[in-house]
Amino acid sequence: MEFLYEYGLFVAKAITIVVAIGLVIGLIVNAASKGKVSGKGELYVDNISEDIEDTITDLKRSLLNKDELKAFDKNLKKELKKESKNKEPEKRPKLFVISFDGGVYADEVESLREEISAIISIAQPEDKVLIKLESPGGVVHGYGLASSQIARLRNANIEVIASVDKVAASGGYMMACVANKIISAPFAIIGSIGVVAQLPNFNKLLKKHDVEIEQHTAGNFKRTLTMLGENTDEAREKFKQELADTHILFKDFVSEYRPQLDIEKVSTGEHWYGKQALDLKLVDELSTSDDFVLNAVKDHTLYKVEYKIKQKLAEKLGVAAAAGISSMVSKMTTWSFTANK
């Protein structure tokens, strides 16, 4: 028993140290992220049509016997020779593929705006954009800007397809609804057209320890609810009214881009899975981004467009260390997540 006690004490201390180090590194990384962006980024453009076609060719070759492979390669060589002699190769419309995996603050919009600016500068009327969108939503102003970036494409008369494989909820759906077409995986989480805000209040605890808080404002509602001061019924009502006003703006925005929706029915803050979302007209088609890309490569030239922001060495080390510690902690603990409707 004494051995088990000593072992348990050792494990507890080890976890405490690991978590403490993780918190310190997390604070450092967070402080760095809130500072000045470390230098400009770089735009990467890759022809993924060639990669897909090469993969398909390699798969076909691997399934053939020796004689079939010889005939296949001979025929392929003829086709390539014929294409090289053609002075005017077939011009196909382009499909630009971009990705947005959004966090709470939608910081990823900094890369999105660069990618969209680049596409607008070179796209032709017949070209399209596929945005692979994943986001559970976040702050209103961050996702408002992200949605406005997609609207830039539509204003430039470029067709936009939003593909949701896992989740586009709240601010994520605000972005998706701007697209000309939304495709969703059958079990992707869609919707959550609502607004939520919460904050703790420590006023009673502070009073218990004889700590007084002073807050002075010019303007009755410069501050409504506060974490440290005593909240009033008037402030609570004002805060609720602000949430209601934001919800109205959200509903009006969605209705503008998807007038086919019964907006009152789908703006309750609930989320739905892809099949349900299709029935409610929140999405237009059930499909994964992978299937869409495989079909599009038949008559489009596909280009992956990605803008990567450069990081300083210290930031890279901090992020890598934080990720390593997070991995260690996750091996020691078990977490579960349940999405309730």
Side-chain angles (χ1 to χ4, degrees), residues 162-317:
S163 174
V164 185
D165 288 331
K166 294 179 181 178
V167 56
S170 195
Y173 188 74
M174 179 187 284
M175 292 179 65
C177 77
V178 182
N180 299 89
K181 181 179 182 180
I182 305 175
I183 62 175
S184 163
F187 286 94
I189 294 173
I190 305 293
S192 189
I193 303 173
V195 185
V196 63
Q198 63 181 357
L199 72 162
N201 183 266
F202 302 100
N203 186 252
K204 290 182 180 179
L205 178 63
L206 295 174
K207 280 184 176 180
K208 184 178 179 180
H209 293 279
D210 297 324
V211 178
E212 293 185 359
I213 298 295
E214 287 193 18
Q215 178 175 270
H216 304 280
T217 62
N220 292 338
F221 296 112
K222 179 62 180 176
R223 285 286 183 271
T224 50
L225 298 187
T226 172
M227 293 176 61
L228 302 178
E230 184 173 356
N231 290 319
T232 65
D233 290 338
E234 184 182 20
R236 291 189 185 94
E237 289 304 314
K238 177 61 176 175
F239 192 77
K240 291 177 182 178
Q241 184 58 52
E242 289 174 348
L243 288 182
D245 291 343
T246 304
H247 191 207
I248 291 171
L249 288 173
F250 192 176
K251 292 193 294 183
D252 290 346
F253 184 85
V254 174
S255 296
E256 179 183 353
Y257 287 100
R258 294 191 71 83
Q260 67 269 42
L261 283 174
D262 181 347
I263 193 63
E264 295 304 324
K265 185 176 181 179
V266 299
S267 62
T268 58
E270 299 171 83
H271 71 262
W272 293 271
Y273 294 110
K275 177 62 172 66
Q276 299 166 314
L278 179 64
D279 294 337
L280 291 168
K281 300 182 181 179
L282 286 162
V283 302
D284 303 298
E285 182 181 324
L286 293 182
S287 177
T288 63
S289 61
D290 309 285
D291 285 332
F292 185 87
V293 166
L294 283 177
N295 288 325
V297 77
K298 298 173 183 177
D299 48 19
H300 290 78
T301 302
L302 276 57
Y303 293 94
K304 179 183 177 182
V305 181
E306 183 178 13
Y307 186 84
K308 295 181 180 179
I309 297 175
K310 294 179 181 178
Q311 289 182 312
K312 293 178 182 177
L313 179 60
E315 291 173 338
K316 291 181 180 179
L317 292 175

Side-chain angles (χ1 to χ4, degrees), residues 44 48 96-103 107-116 119 129-135 146 150 153 161-165 175 289-290 293 303-308:
Y44 295 85
I48 59 176
F96 298 101
V97 182
I98 58 179
S99 298
F100 185 92
D101 191 350
D107 294 327
E108 298 78 9
V109 74
E110 295 304 319
S111 294
L112 181 67
R113 67 200 308 177
E114 296 289 345
E115 292 160 0
I116 287 176
I119 292 170
V129 173
L130 170 68
I131 175 166
K132 298 166 71 174
L133 178 60
E134 301 294 340
S135 175
I150 300 176
L153 291 168
I161 301 95
S163 174
V164 185
D165 288 331
M175 292 179 65
S289 61
D290 309 285
V293 166
Y303 293 94
K304 179 183 177 182
V305 181
E306 183 178 13
Y307 186 84
K308 295 181 180 179

Side-chain angles (χ1 to χ4, degrees), residues 333-339:
T333 58
T334 302
W335 294 81
S336 65
F337 171 77
T338 303

